[in-house]
């Protein structure tokens, strides 16, 4: 993956909610929803704050020295987020992100690979939702 890549959430097209150790995200353009868990829960928060992906990887490698697949796991997770249009590349992230990430702490006891599960079973229903057609006056608009 490109060195010093920073991505941010695609806030124009998605909504999400954080639960205990899971995030549920919906792409409003496609009607597909996702479950994000494992290390993905924590990584999502860092992406939300525009941290460089390399900083996130370094943090995880220091915390979980015994894990050999962290780089690949995070790269695959980030590629999937971009492919599913949940996140987009940005030109720069926090310049101080290395120092900030070093000071973060995890509540995870063991490393859990970041997981992104995709669900299409409600796609038609989510795309029919009239909230997508709201204008500046709200919905429904009076004629």
């Amino acid at each position: 993956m490109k060195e010093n890549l920073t991505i941010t959430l695609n806030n124009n097209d998605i909504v999400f909610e954080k639960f205990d150790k899971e995030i549920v995200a919906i792409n409003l353009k496609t009607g597909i929803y996702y479950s994000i868990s494992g290390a993905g829960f924590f990584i999502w928060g860092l992406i939300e704050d525009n941290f460089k992906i390399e900083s996130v990887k370094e943090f995880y490698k220091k915390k979980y020295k015994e894990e050999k697949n962290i780089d690949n796991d995070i790269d695959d997770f980030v590629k999937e987020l971009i492919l599913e249009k949940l996140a987009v590349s940005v030109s720069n992230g926090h310049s101080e992100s290395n120092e900030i990430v070093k000071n973060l702490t995890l509540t995870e006891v063991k490393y859990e690979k970041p997981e992104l599960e995709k669900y299409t079973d409600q796609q038609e229903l989510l795309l029919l939702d009239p909230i997508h057609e709201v204008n500046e006056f709200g919905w429904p608009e009076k004629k």
Side-chain angles (χ1 to χ4, degrees), residues 3 6 10 14 36 43 67 75-77 98 112 122 126:
E3 192 74 24
T6 302
N10 183 5
I14 68 165
I36 299 157
I43 295 168
E67 293 295 327
D75 283 345
D76 291 346
F77 180 70
N98 282 326
E112 294 180 29
Q122 300 292 316
L126 288 169

Side-chain angles (χ1 to χ4, degrees), residues 43 46 51-60 74 101:
I43 295 168
L46 293 174
F51 283 97
K52 290 182 172 71
I53 299 304
E54 287 304 313
S55 299
V56 175
K57 286 194 235 179
E58 288 304 313
F59 172 76
Y60 264 94
I74 293 174
V101 172

Side-chain angles (χ1 to χ4, degrees), residues 15 24-34 119-133:
V15 293
V24 174
I26 301 171
N27 183 322
L28 298 173
K29 294 263 188 201
T30 64
I32 299 171
Y33 69 100
Y34 304 84
Y119 300 93
T120 58
D121 58 315
Q122 300 292 316
Q123 190 173 15
E124 289 179 27
L125 198 59
L126 288 169
L127 289 173
L128 288 174
D129 184 356
I131 198 164
H132 294 94
E133 304 302 322

